[in-house]
Amino acid sequence: MNPTVLTYLVYIAASVALTIWVARTLTRNGDVFLIDVFHGDEKIAAATNRLLVVGFYLVNLGFVALNLRVSEPVLSTQQAIEALASKLGAVALLLGVFHLVNVFVLSRVRRRRTAPAQPQGPYAVAGQHQQPWTGPSYGGPTPPQG
């Protein structure tokens, strides 16, 4: 068998196995985090988890397919190992970047959902006493200045 084709087969098998392992790990361990993000709504958390995994598979396997070709024919074991290391390293980096982006986005969603509601309206500067303004009083005095 051609060494380049053998390198392709090993790359595809290793990339798919790595993708499946990471996706399963993220799915299994992401449930608790997503349930917290969605305030205990397990249905939304499970649906979001499934959608994230589908997107994860599509993006990563698409990257694996687009990154298949080696720049030069593989003629030795050393060249095969170097090509595989480069390609599998790129796959691992992509997996890591997507994981970090997902965690960042979900953390922001969680932070927004758990932040206390901020009341609307004018505020006094800390340490200064202001009288509440009840609106314009036509023909009357101007609003108190703080």
Side-chain angles (χ1 to χ4, degrees):
M1 180 179 287
N2 183 339
T4 303
V5 172
L6 185 58
T7 302
Y8 288 159
L9 293 175
V10 171
Y11 166 69
I12 290 169
S15 295
V16 168
L18 182 63
T19 300
I20 291 170
W21 175 73
V22 171
R24 286 184 178 173
T25 301
L26 293 175
T27 301
R28 186 175 49 251
N29 296 315
D31 279 340
V32 174
F33 181 74
L34 289 171
I35 289 169
D36 184 46
V37 167
F38 294 110
H39 293 288
D41 191 339
E42 292 183 18
K43 287 179 123 179
I44 295 292
T48 301
N49 206 0
R50 283 190 300 272
L51 291 172
L52 286 171
V53 168
V54 169
F56 177 83
Y57 277 125
L58 291 173
V59 169
N60 197 63
L61 294 176
F63 178 80
V64 166
L66 290 173
N67 197 33
L68 178 66
R69 179 180 280 176
V70 292
S71 58
E72 297 177 16
V74 176
L75 303 174
S76 69
T77 305
Q78 177 184 349
Q79 288 175 328
I81 291 171
E82 289 170 355
L84 286 170
S86 173
K87 294 190 173 302
L88 290 174
V91 170
L93 284 173
L94 181 74
L95 290 169
V97 166
F98 274 110
H99 172 64
L100 291 175
V101 168
N102 280 337
V103 169
F104 176 75
V105 168
L106 291 170
S107 292
R108 302 253 327 182
V109 168
R110 180 177 176 267
R111 192 175 308 130
R112 285 187 182 161
R113 292 188 76 164
T114 59
Q118 299 293 325
Q120 302 296 320
Y123 299 102
V125 177
Q128 293 183 356
H129 177 69
Q130 287 186 330
Q131 295 177 349
W133 183 46
T134 58
S137 56
Y138 299 101
T142 59
Q145 300 295 320

